[in-house]
Amino acid sequence: MAAMSTTHALSVERAEALDDAELADLCEATDAAIIEGGGFGWVEPQGREALTRHFRGVLLVPACELFIAKLDGVPVGSAQLLRPPRNNEAQSFSAQLTHAYIAPYARGHGLARLLVRRVEERAAALGHRVLNLDVRDTQTTAITLFEAMGYTRWGTHPAYARVRGQTVAGHYYYKLLEPTRGRTLDIRATTGKN
């Protein structure tokens, strides 16, 4: 008997508002990711009330854009694109990818890659040419994903975070973006190095 394969609908949307059902699903996914050890700076699950306040607050910050990953129409993860403040003209060409995660029960379908790609595309469309991110050393799946997607590790902070009483290192990454498409630029063309 042949095994049946299930096709899932994958989507990533930039959120401008979230209804109560979406918020409930997103809070559940967030706590699941926190418990598993991936995503956000939180170490302990925060519960629906705190996470609802958090996401509603994120939607109010002008320099922050929230992206929601959905599996079969249900929110299962998110990421944030942080743009530099307007008074930081010297770094206005760059942006930060932060708080990216997919709930453990929704992994293995390609949503994490799609989520990062959509953030890259949006950053490039806004005129950013560099996307920065940082990640705890313990988040090996995320590190593997980012490196496979062309992010360059430029440094490691040996005392980046404290997780359950242990000091954990963190890694810093960047990726050069191609205008309007979010694709990687050839670094030799932008730095003159061959």
PDB file of all heavy atoms in Angstrom, residues 67-105:
ATOM      1  N   PHE A  67       5.476  39.647  10.768  1.00  0.00           N
ATOM      2  CA  PHE A  67       5.154  38.667   9.735  1.00  0.00           C
ATOM      3  C   PHE A  67       4.637  37.408  10.416  1.00  0.00           C
ATOM      4  O   PHE A  67       5.259  36.911  11.360  1.00  0.00           O
ATOM      5  CB  PHE A  67       6.383  38.334   8.896  1.00  0.00           C
ATOM      6  CG  PHE A  67       6.839  39.487   8.053  1.00  0.00           C
ATOM      7  CD1 PHE A  67       7.558  40.535   8.611  1.00  0.00           C
ATOM      8  CD2 PHE A  67       6.536  39.537   6.706  1.00  0.00           C
ATOM      9  CE1 PHE A  67       7.961  41.616   7.841  1.00  0.00           C
ATOM     10  CE2 PHE A  67       6.935  40.604   5.924  1.00  0.00           C
ATOM     11  CZ  PHE A  67       7.654  41.645   6.491  1.00  0.00           C
ATOM     12  N   ILE A  68       3.513  36.892   9.933  1.00  0.00           N
ATOM     13  CA  ILE A  68       2.889  35.713  10.517  1.00  0.00           C
ATOM     14  C   ILE A  68       2.996  34.554   9.536  1.00  0.00           C
ATOM     15  O   ILE A  68       2.579  34.667   8.378  1.00  0.00           O
ATOM     16  CB  ILE A  68       1.398  35.969  10.836  1.00  0.00           C
ATOM     17  CG1 ILE A  68       1.222  37.204  11.723  1.00  0.00           C
ATOM     18  CG2 ILE A  68       0.760  34.731  11.473  1.00  0.00           C
ATOM     19  CD1 ILE A  68       1.859  37.108  13.074  1.00  0.00           C
ATOM     20  N   ALA A  69       3.565  33.436  10.004  1.00  0.00           N
ATOM     21  CA  ALA A  69       3.637  32.208   9.208  1.00  0.00           C
ATOM     22  C   ALA A  69       2.406  31.373   9.532  1.00  0.00           C
ATOM     23  O   ALA A  69       2.071  31.182  10.702  1.00  0.00           O
ATOM     24  CB  ALA A  69       4.904  31.437   9.545  1.00  0.00           C
ATOM     25  N   LYS A  70       1.737  30.874   8.472  1.00  0.00           N
ATOM     26  CA  LYS A  70       0.529  30.075   8.670  1.00  0.00           C
ATOM     27  C   LYS A  70       0.669  28.725   7.980  1.00  0.00           C
ATOM     28  O   LYS A  70       1.169  28.637   6.861  1.00  0.00           O
ATOM     29  CB  LYS A  70      -0.694  30.807   8.110  1.00  0.00           C
ATOM     30  CG  LYS A  70      -1.026  32.085   8.864  1.00  0.00           C
ATOM     31  CD  LYS A  70      -2.281  32.740   8.323  1.00  0.00           C
ATOM     32  CE  LYS A  70      -2.651  33.972   9.132  1.00  0.00           C
ATOM     33  NZ  LYS A  70      -3.910  34.577   8.648  1.00  0.00           N
ATOM     34  N   LEU A  71       0.209  27.710   8.677  1.00  0.00           N
ATOM     35  CA  LEU A  71       0.126  26.360   8.145  1.00  0.00           C
ATOM     36  C   LEU A  71      -1.358  26.024   8.043  1.00  0.00           C
ATOM     37  O   LEU A  71      -2.060  26.030   9.058  1.00  0.00           O
ATOM     38  CB  LEU A  71       0.843  25.373   9.076  1.00  0.00           C
ATOM     39  CG  LEU A  71       0.854  23.908   8.650  1.00  0.00           C
ATOM     40  CD1 LEU A  71       1.667  23.722   7.368  1.00  0.00           C
ATOM     41  CD2 LEU A  71       1.440  23.046   9.765  1.00  0.00           C
ATOM     42  N   ASP A  72      -1.816  25.808   6.825  1.00  0.00           N
ATOM     43  CA  ASP A  72      -3.241  25.554   6.584  1.00  0.00           C
ATOM     44  C   ASP A  72      -4.123  26.649   7.171  1.00  0.00           C
ATOM     45  O   ASP A  72      -5.178  26.400   7.755  1.00  0.00           O
ATOM     46  CB  ASP A  72      -3.649  24.176   7.123  1.00  0.00           C
ATOM     47  CG  ASP A  72      -2.906  23.046   6.417  1.00  0.00           C
ATOM     48  OD1 ASP A  72      -2.595  23.189   5.213  1.00  0.00           O
ATOM     49  OD2 ASP A  72      -2.636  22.025   7.072  1.00  0.00           O
ATOM     50  N   GLY A  73      -3.658  27.897   7.057  1.00  0.00           N
ATOM     51  CA  GLY A  73      -4.434  29.044   7.504  1.00  0.00           C
ATOM     52  C   GLY A  73      -4.340  29.369   8.983  1.00  0.00           C
ATOM     53  O   GLY A  73      -4.931  30.342   9.440  1.00  0.00           O
ATOM     54  N   VAL A  74      -3.590  28.578   9.748  1.00  0.00           N
ATOM     55  CA  VAL A  74      -3.481  28.776  11.193  1.00  0.00           C
ATOM     56  C   VAL A  74      -2.106  29.353  11.533  1.00  0.00           C
ATOM     57  O   VAL A  74      -1.083  28.789  11.133  1.00  0.00           O
ATOM     58  CB  VAL A  74      -3.673  27.442  11.954  1.00  0.00           C
ATOM     59  CG1 VAL A  74      -3.500  27.634  13.449  1.00  0.00           C
ATOM     60  CG2 VAL A  74      -5.038  26.850  11.639  1.00  0.00           C
ATOM     61  N   PRO A  75      -2.031  30.479  12.268  1.00  0.00           N
ATOM     62  CA  PRO A  75      -0.738  31.034  12.659  1.00  0.00           C
ATOM     63  C   PRO A  75       0.081  30.045  13.490  1.00  0.00           C
ATOM     64  O   PRO A  75      -0.419  29.499  14.473  1.00  0.00           O
ATOM     65  CB  PRO A  75      -1.112  32.258  13.501  1.00  0.00           C
ATOM     66  CG  PRO A  75      -2.468  32.657  13.002  1.00  0.00           C
ATOM     67  CD  PRO A  75      -3.144  31.335  12.694  1.00  0.00           C
ATOM     68  N   VAL A  76       1.323  29.799  13.054  1.00  0.00           N
ATOM     69  CA  VAL A  76       2.207  28.853  13.754  1.00  0.00           C
ATOM     70  C   VAL A  76       3.601  29.428  13.993  1.00  0.00           C
ATOM     71  O   VAL A  76       4.496  28.724  14.467  1.00  0.00           O
ATOM     72  CB  VAL A  76       2.320  27.515  12.987  1.00  0.00           C
ATOM     73  CG1 VAL A  76       0.989  26.776  12.977  1.00  0.00           C
ATOM     74  CG2 VAL A  76       2.844  27.729  11.572  1.00  0.00           C
ATOM     75  N   GLY A  77       3.791  30.701  13.670  1.00  0.00           N
ATOM     76  CA  GLY A  77       5.089  31.313  13.877  1.00  0.00           C
ATOM     77  C   GLY A  77       5.078  32.755  13.426  1.00  0.00           C
ATOM     78  O   GLY A  77       4.102  33.226  12.836  1.00  0.00           O
ATOM     79  N   SER A  78       6.165  33.447  13.715  1.00  0.00           N
ATOM     80  CA  SER A  78       6.256  34.842  13.305  1.00  0.00           C
ATOM     81  C   SER A  78       7.709  35.282  13.244  1.00  0.00           C
ATOM     82  O   SER A  78       8.617  34.565  13.667  1.00  0.00           O
ATOM     83  CB  SER A  78       5.470  35.741  14.262  1.00  0.00           C
ATOM     84  OG  SER A  78       6.117  35.858  15.513  1.00  0.00           O
ATOM     85  N   ALA A  79       7.894  36.468  12.712  1.00  0.00           N
ATOM     86  CA  ALA A  79       9.191  37.134  12.683  1.00  0.00           C
ATOM     87  C   ALA A  79       8.918  38.629  12.658  1.00  0.00           C
ATOM     88  O   ALA A  79       7.827  39.065  12.276  1.00  0.00           O
ATOM     89  CB  ALA A  79       9.998  36.726  11.459  1.00  0.00           C
ATOM     90  N   GLN A  80       9.916  39.388  13.074  1.00  0.00           N
ATOM     91  CA  GLN A  80       9.787  40.838  13.051  1.00  0.00           C
ATOM     92  C   GLN A  80      10.917  41.451  12.239  1.00  0.00           C
ATOM     93  O   GLN A  80      12.066  41.009  12.322  1.00  0.00           O
ATOM     94  CB  GLN A  80       9.803  41.389  14.473  1.00  0.00           C
ATOM     95  CG  GLN A  80       8.613  40.934  15.292  1.00  0.00           C
ATOM     96  CD  GLN A  80       8.711  41.327  16.740  1.00  0.00           C
ATOM     97  OE1 GLN A  80       9.287  42.349  17.082  1.00  0.00           O
ATOM     98  NE2 GLN A  80       8.142  40.513  17.615  1.00  0.00           N
ATOM     99  N   LEU A  81      10.561  42.449  11.451  1.00  0.00           N
ATOM    100  CA  LEU A  81      11.527  43.250  10.711  1.00  0.00           C
ATOM    101  C   LEU A  81      11.618  44.592  11.416  1.00  0.00           C
ATOM    102  O   LEU A  81      10.616  45.302  11.526  1.00  0.00           O
ATOM    103  CB  LEU A  81      11.068  43.432   9.258  1.00  0.00           C
ATOM    104  CG  LEU A  81      11.909  44.379   8.400  1.00  0.00           C
ATOM    105  CD1 LEU A  81      13.325  43.831   8.222  1.00  0.00           C
ATOM    106  CD2 LEU A  81      11.240  44.604   7.054  1.00  0.00           C
ATOM    107  N   LEU A  82      12.798  44.914  11.926  1.00  0.00           N
ATOM    108  CA  LEU A  82      13.016  46.178  12.631  1.00  0.00           C
ATOM    109  C   LEU A  82      13.844  47.102  11.753  1.00  0.00           C
ATOM    110  O   LEU A  82      14.960  46.757  11.350  1.00  0.00           O
ATOM    111  CB  LEU A  82      13.749  45.948  13.953  1.00  0.00           C
ATOM    112  CG  LEU A  82      13.046  45.093  14.992  1.00  0.00           C
ATOM    113  CD1 LEU A  82      13.931  44.909  16.215  1.00  0.00           C
ATOM    114  CD2 LEU A  82      11.727  45.713  15.392  1.00  0.00           C
ATOM    115  N   ARG A  83      13.290  48.255  11.488  1.00  0.00           N
ATOM    116  CA  ARG A  83      14.014  49.253  10.718  1.00  0.00           C
ATOM    117  C   ARG A  83      14.704  50.211  11.679  1.00  0.00           C
ATOM    118  O   ARG A  83      14.205  50.451  12.794  1.00  0.00           O
ATOM    119  CB  ARG A  83      13.040  50.000   9.807  1.00  0.00           C
ATOM    120  CG  ARG A  83      12.397  49.070   8.784  1.00  0.00           C
ATOM    121  CD  ARG A  83      11.462  49.794   7.828  1.00  0.00           C
ATOM    122  NE  ARG A  83      10.480  50.659   8.454  1.00  0.00           N
ATOM    123  CZ  ARG A  83       9.322  50.248   8.966  1.00  0.00           C
ATOM    124  NH1 ARG A  83       9.002  48.974   8.939  1.00  0.00           N
ATOM    125  NH2 ARG A  83       8.477  51.106   9.500  1.00  0.00           N
ATOM    126  N   PRO A  84      15.838  50.796  11.277  1.00  0.00           N
ATOM    127  CA  PRO A  84      16.520  51.736  12.171  1.00  0.00           C
ATOM    128  C   PRO A  84      15.681  52.992  12.380  1.00  0.00           C
ATOM    129  O   PRO A  84      14.863  53.343  11.521  1.00  0.00           O
ATOM    130  CB  PRO A  84      17.827  52.059  11.432  1.00  0.00           C
ATOM    131  CG  PRO A  84      17.593  51.689  10.022  1.00  0.00           C
ATOM    132  CD  PRO A  84      16.541  50.621  10.008  1.00  0.00           C
ATOM    133  N   PRO A  85      15.863  53.669  13.507  1.00  0.00           N
ATOM    134  CA  PRO A  85      15.111  54.900  13.735  1.00  0.00           C
ATOM    135  C   PRO A  85      15.467  55.959  12.691  1.00  0.00           C
ATOM    136  O   PRO A  85      16.561  55.941  12.121  1.00  0.00           O
ATOM    137  CB  PRO A  85      15.531  55.332  15.147  1.00  0.00           C
ATOM    138  CG  PRO A  85      16.779  54.595  15.441  1.00  0.00           C
ATOM    139  CD  PRO A  85      16.784  53.361  14.592  1.00  0.00           C
ATOM    140  N   ARG A  86      14.561  56.868  12.453  1.00  0.00           N
ATOM    141  CA  ARG A  86      14.756  57.878  11.401  1.00  0.00           C
ATOM    142  C   ARG A  86      15.981  58.741  11.642  1.00  0.00           C
ATOM    143  O   ARG A  86      16.564  59.262  10.700  1.00  0.00           O
ATOM    144  CB  ARG A  86      13.512  58.744  11.295  1.00  0.00           C
ATOM    145  CG  ARG A  86      12.322  57.926  10.789  1.00  0.00           C
ATOM    146  CD  ARG A  86      11.111  58.768  10.644  1.00  0.00           C
ATOM    147  NE  ARG A  86      11.334  59.696   9.517  1.00  0.00           N
ATOM    148  CZ  ARG A  86      10.420  60.496   9.052  1.00  0.00           C
ATOM    149  NH1 ARG A  86       9.240  60.529   9.588  1.00  0.00           N
ATOM    150  NH2 ARG A  86      10.693  61.303   8.047  1.00  0.00           N
ATOM    151  N   ASN A  87      16.372  58.921  12.901  1.00  0.00           N
ATOM    152  CA  ASN A  87      17.536  59.757  13.175  1.00  0.00           C
ATOM    153  C   ASN A  87      18.855  59.025  12.950  1.00  0.00           C
ATOM    154  O   ASN A  87      19.919  59.593  13.155  1.00  0.00           O
ATOM    155  CB  ASN A  87      17.479  60.321  14.595  1.00  0.00           C
ATOM    156  CG  ASN A  87      17.651  59.250  15.653  1.00  0.00           C
ATOM    157  OD1 ASN A  87      17.303  58.088  15.425  1.00  0.00           O
ATOM    158  ND2 ASN A  87      18.173  59.627  16.799  1.00  0.00           N
ATOM    159  N   ASN A  88      18.812  57.769  12.514  1.00  0.00           N
ATOM    160  CA  ASN A  88      20.029  57.001  12.244  1.00  0.00           C
ATOM    161  C   ASN A  88      20.214  56.852  10.733  1.00  0.00           C
ATOM    162  O   ASN A  88      20.147  55.765  10.185  1.00  0.00           O
ATOM    163  CB  ASN A  88      19.951  55.632  12.923  1.00  0.00           C
ATOM    164  CG  ASN A  88      21.281  54.902  12.875  1.00  0.00           C
ATOM    165  OD1 ASN A  88      22.224  55.333  12.228  1.00  0.00           O
ATOM    166  ND2 ASN A  88      21.348  53.776  13.558  1.00  0.00           N
ATOM    167  N   GLU A  89      20.431  57.974  10.061  1.00  0.00           N
ATOM    168  CA  GLU A  89      20.588  57.959   8.611  1.00  0.00           C
ATOM    169  C   GLU A  89      21.783  57.132   8.169  1.00  0.00           C
ATOM    170  O   GLU A  89      21.755  56.511   7.111  1.00  0.00           O
ATOM    171  CB  GLU A  89      20.723  59.379   8.073  1.00  0.00           C
ATOM    172  CG  GLU A  89      19.436  60.162   8.136  1.00  0.00           C
ATOM    173  CD  GLU A  89      19.595  61.569   7.602  1.00  0.00           C
ATOM    174  OE1 GLU A  89      20.732  62.097   7.614  1.00  0.00           O
ATOM    175  OE2 GLU A  89      18.580  62.137   7.171  1.00  0.00           O
ATOM    176  N   ALA A  90      22.851  57.110   8.969  1.00  0.00           N
ATOM    177  CA  ALA A  90      24.058  56.386   8.587  1.00  0.00           C
ATOM    178  C   ALA A  90      23.817  54.892   8.449  1.00  0.00           C
ATOM    179  O   ALA A  90      24.495  54.215   7.676  1.00  0.00           O
ATOM    180  CB  ALA A  90      25.177  56.641   9.606  1.00  0.00           C
ATOM    181  N   GLN A  91      22.839  54.343   9.170  1.00  0.00           N
ATOM    182  CA  GLN A  91      22.549  52.917   9.082  1.00  0.00           C
ATOM    183  C   GLN A  91      21.175  52.635   8.480  1.00  0.00           C
ATOM    184  O   GLN A  91      20.651  51.533   8.612  1.00  0.00           O
ATOM    185  CB  GLN A  91      22.669  52.273  10.463  1.00  0.00           C
ATOM    186  CG  GLN A  91      24.094  52.256  10.967  1.00  0.00           C
ATOM    187  CD  GLN A  91      24.212  51.572  12.309  1.00  0.00           C
ATOM    188  OE1 GLN A  91      23.248  51.430  13.051  1.00  0.00           O
ATOM    189  NE2 GLN A  91      25.420  51.130  12.621  1.00  0.00           N
ATOM    190  N   SER A  92      20.622  53.593   7.768  1.00  0.00           N
ATOM    191  CA  SER A  92      19.289  53.413   7.200  1.00  0.00           C
ATOM    192  C   SER A  92      19.258  52.366   6.088  1.00  0.00           C
ATOM    193  O   SER A  92      18.192  51.901   5.711  1.00  0.00           O
ATOM    194  CB  SER A  92      18.753  54.748   6.675  1.00  0.00           C
ATOM    195  OG  SER A  92      19.557  55.212   5.606  1.00  0.00           O
ATOM    196  N   PHE A  93      20.401  51.975   5.579  1.00  0.00           N
ATOM    197  CA  PHE A  93      20.467  50.944   4.535  1.00  0.00           C
ATOM    198  C   PHE A  93      20.288  49.539   5.100  1.00  0.00           C
ATOM    199  O   PHE A  93      20.140  48.574   4.353  1.00  0.00           O
ATOM    200  CB  PHE A  93      21.800  51.024   3.786  1.00  0.00           C
ATOM    201  CG  PHE A  93      22.976  50.594   4.640  1.00  0.00           C
ATOM    202  CD1 PHE A  93      23.493  49.316   4.522  1.00  0.00           C
ATOM    203  CD2 PHE A  93      23.533  51.455   5.570  1.00  0.00           C
ATOM    204  CE1 PHE A  93      24.547  48.904   5.323  1.00  0.00           C
ATOM    205  CE2 PHE A  93      24.592  51.056   6.365  1.00  0.00           C
ATOM    206  CZ  PHE A  93      25.099  49.774   6.244  1.00  0.00           C
ATOM    207  N   SER A  94      20.287  49.402   6.425  1.00  0.00           N
ATOM    208  CA  SER A  94      20.209  48.074   7.038  1.00  0.00           C
ATOM    209  C   SER A  94      18.950  47.935   7.886  1.00  0.00           C
ATOM    210  O   SER A  94      18.338  48.911   8.281  1.00  0.00           O
ATOM    211  CB  SER A  94      21.448  47.800   7.894  1.00  0.00           C
ATOM    212  OG  SER A  94      21.456  48.649   9.027  1.00  0.00           O
ATOM    213  N   ALA A  95      18.582  46.701   8.135  1.00  0.00           N
ATOM    214  CA  ALA A  95      17.446  46.384   8.997  1.00  0.00           C
ATOM    215  C   ALA A  95      17.792  45.130   9.787  1.00  0.00           C
ATOM    216  O   ALA A  95      18.799  44.466   9.524  1.00  0.00           O
ATOM    217  CB  ALA A  95      16.184  46.176   8.167  1.00  0.00           C
ATOM    218  N   GLN A  96      16.954  44.795  10.756  1.00  0.00           N
ATOM    219  CA  GLN A  96      17.189  43.653  11.640  1.00  0.00           C
ATOM    220  C   GLN A  96      16.044  42.652  11.532  1.00  0.00           C
ATOM    221  O   GLN A  96      14.875  43.046  11.617  1.00  0.00           O
ATOM    222  CB  GLN A  96      17.293  44.152  13.090  1.00  0.00           C
ATOM    223  CG  GLN A  96      17.498  43.099  14.126  1.00  0.00           C
ATOM    224  CD  GLN A  96      18.956  42.844  14.434  1.00  0.00           C
ATOM    225  OE1 GLN A  96      19.818  43.615  14.057  1.00  0.00           O
ATOM    226  NE2 GLN A  96      19.225  41.760  15.114  1.00  0.00           N
ATOM    227  N   LEU A  97      16.375  41.392  11.353  1.00  0.00           N
ATOM    228  CA  LEU A  97      15.418  40.290  11.442  1.00  0.00           C
ATOM    229  C   LEU A  97      15.506  39.770  12.873  1.00  0.00           C
ATOM    230  O   LEU A  97      16.585  39.409  13.339  1.00  0.00           O
ATOM    231  CB  LEU A  97      15.771  39.188  10.444  1.00  0.00           C
ATOM    232  CG  LEU A  97      15.045  37.850  10.599  1.00  0.00           C
ATOM    233  CD1 LEU A  97      13.545  38.009  10.395  1.00  0.00           C
ATOM    234  CD2 LEU A  97      15.608  36.832   9.632  1.00  0.00           C
ATOM    235  N   THR A  98      14.374  39.744  13.559  1.00  0.00           N
ATOM    236  CA  THR A  98      14.401  39.333  14.955  1.00  0.00           C
ATOM    237  C   THR A  98      13.167  38.499  15.300  1.00  0.00           C
ATOM    238  O   THR A  98      12.166  38.522  14.586  1.00  0.00           O
ATOM    239  CB  THR A  98      14.514  40.573  15.885  1.00  0.00           C
ATOM    240  OG1 THR A  98      14.698  40.145  17.227  1.00  0.00           O
ATOM    241  CG2 THR A  98      13.301  41.463  15.789  1.00  0.00           C
ATOM    242  N   HIS A  99      13.244  37.769  16.392  1.00  0.00           N
ATOM    243  CA  HIS A  99      12.132  36.977  16.926  1.00  0.00           C
ATOM    244  C   HIS A  99      11.512  36.044  15.882  1.00  0.00           C
ATOM    245  O   HIS A  99      10.293  35.903  15.822  1.00  0.00           O
ATOM    246  CB  HIS A  99      11.059  37.881  17.536  1.00  0.00           C
ATOM    247  CG  HIS A  99      11.543  38.720  18.665  1.00  0.00           C
ATOM    248  ND1 HIS A  99      12.257  38.205  19.725  1.00  0.00           N
ATOM    249  CD2 HIS A  99      11.444  40.048  18.912  1.00  0.00           C
ATOM    250  CE1 HIS A  99      12.548  39.166  20.575  1.00  0.00           C
ATOM    251  NE2 HIS A  99      12.074  40.297  20.105  1.00  0.00           N
ATOM    252  N   ALA A 100      12.342  35.404  15.081  1.00  0.00           N
ATOM    253  CA  ALA A 100      11.841  34.480  14.053  1.00  0.00           C
ATOM    254  C   ALA A 100      11.744  33.072  14.644  1.00  0.00           C
ATOM    255  O   ALA A 100      12.692  32.582  15.240  1.00  0.00           O
ATOM    256  CB  ALA A 100      12.765  34.482  12.843  1.00  0.00           C
ATOM    257  N   TYR A 101      10.592  32.448  14.468  1.00  0.00           N
ATOM    258  CA  TYR A 101      10.398  31.083  14.968  1.00  0.00           C
ATOM    259  C   TYR A 101       9.205  30.444  14.288  1.00  0.00           C
ATOM    260  O   TYR A 101       8.306  31.125  13.786  1.00  0.00           O
ATOM    261  CB  TYR A 101      10.165  31.076  16.493  1.00  0.00           C
ATOM    262  CG  TYR A 101       8.838  31.704  16.839  1.00  0.00           C
ATOM    263  CD1 TYR A 101       7.710  30.904  17.013  1.00  0.00           C
ATOM    264  CD2 TYR A 101       8.710  33.079  16.923  1.00  0.00           C
ATOM    265  CE1 TYR A 101       6.477  31.481  17.277  1.00  0.00           C
ATOM    266  CE2 TYR A 101       7.490  33.654  17.182  1.00  0.00           C
ATOM    267  CZ  TYR A 101       6.375  32.854  17.355  1.00  0.00           C
ATOM    268  OH  TYR A 101       5.160  33.430  17.592  1.00  0.00           O
ATOM    269  N   ILE A 102       9.199  29.134  14.291  1.00  0.00           N
ATOM    270  CA  ILE A 102       8.062  28.313  13.887  1.00  0.00           C
ATOM    271  C   ILE A 102       7.814  27.350  15.052  1.00  0.00           C
ATOM    272  O   ILE A 102       8.759  26.769  15.596  1.00  0.00           O
ATOM    273  CB  ILE A 102       8.341  27.515  12.591  1.00  0.00           C
ATOM    274  CG1 ILE A 102       8.654  28.463  11.424  1.00  0.00           C
ATOM    275  CG2 ILE A 102       7.176  26.577  12.250  1.00  0.00           C
ATOM    276  CD1 ILE A 102       7.503  29.343  10.975  1.00  0.00           C
ATOM    277  N   ALA A 103       6.560  27.168  15.437  1.00  0.00           N
ATOM    278  CA  ALA A 103       6.233  26.242  16.523  1.00  0.00           C
ATOM    279  C   ALA A 103       6.743  24.845  16.187  1.00  0.00           C
ATOM    280  O   ALA A 103       6.719  24.440  15.016  1.00  0.00           O
ATOM    281  CB  ALA A 103       4.723  26.200  16.741  1.00  0.00           C
ATOM    282  N   PRO A 104       7.219  24.103  17.167  1.00  0.00           N
ATOM    283  CA  PRO A 104       7.778  22.769  16.904  1.00  0.00           C
ATOM    284  C   PRO A 104       6.823  21.851  16.145  1.00  0.00           C
ATOM    285  O   PRO A 104       7.252  21.084  15.292  1.00  0.00           O
ATOM    286  CB  PRO A 104       8.068  22.214  18.302  1.00  0.00           C
ATOM    287  CG  PRO A 104       8.146  23.405  19.194  1.00  0.00           C
ATOM    288  CD  PRO A 104       7.284  24.464  18.585  1.00  0.00           C
ATOM    289  N   TYR A 105       5.524  21.937  16.408  1.00  0.00           N
ATOM    290  CA  TYR A 105       4.558  21.054  15.766  1.00  0.00           C
ATOM    291  C   TYR A 105       4.288  21.416  14.299  1.00  0.00           C
ATOM    292  O   TYR A 105       3.586  20.695  13.603  1.00  0.00           O
ATOM    293  CB  TYR A 105       3.246  21.011  16.551  1.00  0.00           C
ATOM    294  CG  TYR A 105       2.646  22.364  16.859  1.00  0.00           C
ATOM    295  CD1 TYR A 105       1.899  23.059  15.907  1.00  0.00           C
ATOM    296  CD2 TYR A 105       2.818  22.937  18.112  1.00  0.00           C
ATOM    297  CE1 TYR A 105       1.351  24.295  16.194  1.00  0.00           C
ATOM    298  CE2 TYR A 105       2.267  24.170  18.413  1.00  0.00           C
ATOM    299  CZ  TYR A 105       1.535  24.851  17.451  1.00  0.00           C
ATOM    300  OH  TYR A 105       0.995  26.073  17.744  1.00  0.00           O
TER     301      TYR A 105
END
